[in-house]
Amino acid sequence: MSTAEITPPPKATPPKATPPKATPPKATPPKATPPKATPPKATPPEKIEPPVPAFEKSYIDQITNKFTDDVEVGYIKENRTRINVKKEKIIDVAKFIKDNTPFDHAESVTGVDFPEDKEIGLIYHLGSYTDSTYSKQVLALATRVPREENPNPGNDSTKLPSLRDMFYSVEFHEREIFEMLGVYFEGHPDNRRLLLPEDWADLPPLRKDFKNKGR
Amino acid sequence: MAEQVIPTNQMPPGLQVENVDDRIMTLNVGPQHPGSGHMRIIVKIDGDYIVDADPDPGYVHRGEEKMAESRNYITNIPHLERPVIHDSCNILYPYVLGVEELVGIEVSERAKYVRVIAAELNRCIYIQYWLAIYGIFLGHSTMFMWPAGDRELLIDLMEKITGARVTHAYFIPGGVRNDIPANFEDVCLRQVNYFEKRIKEYADIFYDNPILKARTEDTGVLSREDAIRLGTTGSVLRASGVDYDLRIKEPYDVYDELDVHTNVLKSGDSYARSKIPWLDMLESCNIIRQALEKMPKSGSIRTKLKPNPKGQIGEVYRRVESGRGSAGCHIISDGKIEPYRLKLSVSSFRNLIALPYLLKGEKLGNMPAVYWSLNYWPVEADR
């Protein structure tokens, strides 16, 4: 199962330098000039293209200027941007986005379990139907909530205010995340099960400690 | 009024207390209805009028997202198309595009055209199936037979390309699985032309039929503002007057080289929602003809991928326009050979939120016309 790196982005920790030399000379030599001048491994894909897309940056700046300390930029790529928000400020930021930018609906909400960090990540993907210049843009609004070892969905600290008042379309997505990851959404009128059976009494199944049988 | 015996916070999971009103009757529609797929709608009716509707999906929940976390990027392909086997190319499309972006692999020009042709054929196959069920929902048996028969033409084409009638698993990161057969262009052109001639006849028996119009026009009206606010997508959105089609707004593969038109209707009722997919099929025929003409006649169809490719650390969110609307795939990778988390953002799930709004105030007899006009596929919503 020795898997050679696919188009090896020069990782900061290259312990197994042997596989790359087996591959025929690829596009690696041109950008091999400063190999060890990059010790900070802040963002592992190191080929960050210097020109940050201007249009995307403009609306991200609008948000970061308003919330300087509570918001950090995840990435600004072409058509895709991400901002990480503290969970206390998620309502304020969402309200600001709804009122001051053309983003008018949430098309997806992803919940991710991070057991090592003892946190659960939530990523709201926002899009715009009304402004055609924004129709390619997807803004990922991400936050993290604390995670408990023995979850008691609804009655533990894994809580987040619901964004339903700002982005109505998150209603079913938040219900799904409540049952799949155990994140309780305060202010959501209808925190019932959606997909799982009514008598499900196991762990929330999309947490990493819920193991697939036979895997 | 029923007294609440157990406090809400001490009840076993899933149990709910419901107050009973003498006027209101509760009806369970589904989950075993032979046409609805496996989905239940809990309808509350006052006389003949629906006062509340509560969709209850989940009867065919398969845990696709959980399964994807323990399989590598290639072995995920066959099970990720299972949510919509009739539209398997389109539901797989965003995943394949996302993996290509994560792994960093280029796709040849010919493979892109083959993908577009397969995706458009699949779109027609799906819509024909959906239309057949819409016909039988409204008691129009001919409209069940015709699309179910005509889609065989396109299924034969897909079988020629992929070897399978419905579950193709045809798209892979780097291109498509195998090349199209030698004389495929001629056969495809002939069948698509005939298919287009056939579906134009549907207008005579179905879309211009006064009985159908009486049953669907002005039922379940979704205003433009609500369609945007509820985050609907695809045919539901475009029937309410919002011009948003990802093939035009965010072209993927070679859609920007083709002349694609989108269909928008303004009325937002069940009739408009049922007509948009039919217009989409006619547009798909145009796209297929253009793609057949512009496709490079030879060349690679598959960029070789190393075994067990690893995604670079990061995340990617790609979306395409499927037969029902936007299909999105959000992949989070931690540098291993399998995704750390994979989320399918599918249109059926997104459009379901509109159902309670559309049904409130409708007559119970209009429920099938409204429900199936949402272009809803229960298995896709459950994943």
Side-chain angles (χ1 to χ4, degrees):
Chain A
M1 294 294 174
S2 73
T3 59
E5 302 283 342
I6 309 299
T7 60
K11 292 250 180 75
T13 58
K16 44 173 185 178
T18 35
K21 82 168 163 58
T23 57
K26 275 187 164 182
T28 35
K31 56 170 181 174
T33 37
K36 47 191 170 183
T38 56
K41 52 168 199 170
T43 50
E46 284 186 357
K47 40 173 246 175
I48 291 174
E49 51 270 40
V52 177
F55 180 73
E56 285 80 354
K57 193 168 186 329
S58 67
Y59 66 74
I60 290 293
D61 282 349
Q62 206 182 337
I63 300 164
T64 47
N65 290 342
K66 168 85 176 162
F67 301 93
T68 43
D69 298 335
D70 306 312
V71 166
E72 88 178 311
V73 177
Y75 53 75
I76 300 178
K77 292 189 282 197
E78 198 186 353
N79 299 337
R80 299 285 187 271
T81 51
R82 170 172 170 152
I83 52 174
N84 302 323
V85 188
K86 288 181 186 165
K87 82 179 176 79
E88 294 80 19
K89 287 286 178 182
I90 184 91
I91 286 278
D92 297 339
V93 176
K95 200 167 272 176
F96 180 79
I97 291 173
K98 171 82 175 167
D99 293 342
N100 296 288
T101 62
F103 293 104
D104 49 23
H105 70 282
E107 51 182 67
S108 158
V109 187
T110 312
V112 200
D113 191 15
F114 295 105
E116 295 86 19
D117 305 346
K118 296 200 178 352
E119 280 179 325
I120 289 177
L122 285 156
I123 302 154
Y124 294 82
H125 285 111
L126 309 178
S128 173
Y129 286 144
T130 38
D131 191 336
S132 62
T133 54
Y134 276 75
S135 54
K136 278 186 183 181
Q137 306 295 329
V138 176
L139 170 62
L141 179 65
T143 188
R144 287 196 173 197
V145 294
R147 172 192 196 276
E148 292 194 8
E149 243 5 90
N150 299 308
N152 182 8
N155 299 317
D156 55 13
S157 63
T158 312
K159 284 182 183 171
L160 189 73
S162 169
L163 295 194
R164 185 173 171 272
D165 293 341
M166 276 68 72
F167 298 104
Y168 203 94
S169 51
V170 301
E171 180 177 345
F172 280 14
H173 295 282
E174 289 188 340
R175 274 177 74 181
E176 189 195 349
I177 285 178
F178 175 51
E179 63 176 358
M180 295 292 179
L181 286 145
V183 181
Y184 184 81
F185 289 92
E186 291 169 310
H188 193 291
D190 199 12
N191 264 310
R192 281 178 301 143
R193 291 264 165 77
L194 188 63
L195 299 177
L196 287 183
E198 283 88 353
D199 54 351
W200 179 270
D202 206 336
L203 284 171
L206 276 180
R207 292 208 181 187
K208 291 288 177 187
D209 42 5
F210 181 89
K211 297 289 183 198
N212 279 354
K213 301 275 188 304
R215 282 268 161 189
Chain B
M1 291 292 145
E3 283 185 28
Q4 198 160 321
V5 186
I6 313 172
T8 319
N9 54 1
Q10 289 171 18
M11 282 198 299
L15 265 192
Q16 294 155 27
V17 173
E18 185 186 318
N19 291 331
V20 177
D21 187 341
D22 288 344
R23 268 190 77 82
I24 308 294
M25 181 172 144
T26 306
L27 264 187
N28 280 301
V29 183
Q32 282 101 359
H33 189 278
S36 71
H38 309 284
M39 204 273 256
R40 178 169 67 153
I41 310 171
I42 304 164
V43 190
K44 299 218 165 77
I45 48 174
D46 179 1
D48 207 8
Y49 288 90
I50 298 173
V51 293
D52 194 15
D54 183 17
D56 178 21
Y59 287 88
V60 272
H61 175 62
R62 294 158 168 173
E64 298 280 350
E65 294 173 1
K66 186 73 182 176
M67 268 200 281
E69 290 173 8
S70 55
R71 284 162 171 79
N72 70 35
Y73 286 110
I74 304 299
T75 48
N76 265 332
I77 289 175
H79 81 83
L80 280 180
E81 68 174 11
R82 285 308 192 274
V84 204
I85 55 171
H86 303 291
D87 203 7
S88 61
C89 286
N90 279 313
I91 195 71
L92 206 52
Y93 219 146
Y95 172 75
V96 170
L97 291 174
V99 173
E100 277 160 6
E101 194 177 320
L102 273 180
V103 175
I105 184 171
E106 290 295 320
V107 185
S108 73
E109 191 73 4
R110 180 172 162 87
K112 288 180 180 174
Y113 274 100
V114 174
R115 276 188 193 178
V116 167
I117 292 170
E120 293 300 327
L121 286 173
N122 246 218
R123 185 189 316 278
C124 294
I125 291 171
Y126 167 76
I127 292 172
Q128 288 285 74
Y129 195 90
W130 169 86
L131 190 56
I133 295 181
Y134 198 54
I136 203 71
F137 260 32
L138 299 173
H140 197 312
S141 301
T142 316
M143 205 53 203
F144 175 70
M145 301 294 176
W146 282 17
D150 291 338
R151 72 191 265 278
E152 290 291 325
L153 282 173
L154 305 187
I155 288 181
D156 282 349
L157 285 176
M158 286 308 289
E159 191 181 4
K160 282 194 174 65
I161 304 179
T162 67
R165 277 168 53 85
V166 277
T167 49
H168 312 299
Y170 187 48
F171 292 7
I172 54 169
V176 291
R177 195 155 45 80
N178 51 292
D179 206 347
I180 54 178
N183 63 341
F184 178 76
E185 283 93 338
D186 302 334
V187 181
C188 183
L189 197 61
R190 198 173 66 232
Q191 308 235 37
V192 166
N193 285 340
Y194 175 75
F195 178 78
E196 187 182 24
K197 189 166 112 317
R198 275 291 296 170
I199 56 177
K200 278 179 180 164
E201 293 172 17
Y202 294 178
D204 298 336
I205 65 157
F206 198 65
Y207 288 106
D208 294 341
N209 187 331
I211 299 173
L212 175 97
K213 283 192 168 181
R215 287 203 61 183
T216 54
E217 274 181 346
D218 295 327
T219 62
V221 180
L222 185 66
S223 68
R224 188 179 191 275
E225 289 70 31
D226 278 346
I228 293 171
R229 190 172 66 101
L230 297 172
T232 57
T233 174
S235 56
V236 179
L237 185 69
R238 279 184 275 138
S240 292
V242 184
D243 183 2
Y244 194 86
D245 187 328
L246 283 168
R247 289 175 291 176
I248 298 164
K249 297 290 184 185
E250 190 183 287
Y252 44 95
D253 277 358
V254 288
Y255 277 110
D256 48 350
E257 296 168 20
L258 304 171
D259 188 18
V260 185
H261 294 280
T262 192
N263 303 296
V264 181
L265 295 175
K266 290 219 161 36
S267 57
D269 54 8
S270 298
Y271 181 72
R273 279 195 297 276
S274 66
K275 196 167 186 178
I276 289 274
W278 177 67
L279 296 171
D280 277 355
M281 276 199 291
L282 293 170
E283 184 56 35
S284 287
C285 294
N286 282 332
I287 297 172
I288 293 168
R289 274 195 294 268
Q290 289 177 48
L292 283 172
E293 193 179 312
K294 288 192 176 178
M295 181 171 63
K297 296 299 170 231
S298 63
S300 155
I301 46 107
R302 175 178 184 176
T303 312
K304 275 274 188 282
L305 197 62
K306 295 219 170 90
N308 289 345
K310 289 181 183 172
Q312 52 179 285
I313 297 172
E315 63 172 350
V316 57
Y317 180 71
R318 292 301 298 259
R319 45 191 190 158
V320 304
E321 187 81 13
S322 75
R324 295 155 305 289
S326 160
C329 188
H330 183 207
I331 311 173
I332 298 175
S333 161
D334 59 347
K336 297 215 177 70
I337 58 170
E338 62 268 306
Y340 185 75
R341 172 86 168 89
L342 185 141
K343 160 88 181 174
L344 296 171
S345 165
V346 285
S347 47
S348 298
F349 190 77
R350 289 173 60 186
N351 285 340
L352 184 61
I353 191 175
L355 186 64
Y357 287 84
L358 299 181
L359 285 182
K360 253 172 229 171
E362 286 295 329
K363 279 190 172 179
L364 184 63
N366 285 338
M367 200 195 75
V370 174
Y371 162 58
W372 204 246
S373 74
L374 279 179
N375 214 338
Y376 178 73
W377 197 252
V379 197
E380 187 193 30
D382 293 358
R383 283 156 287 154

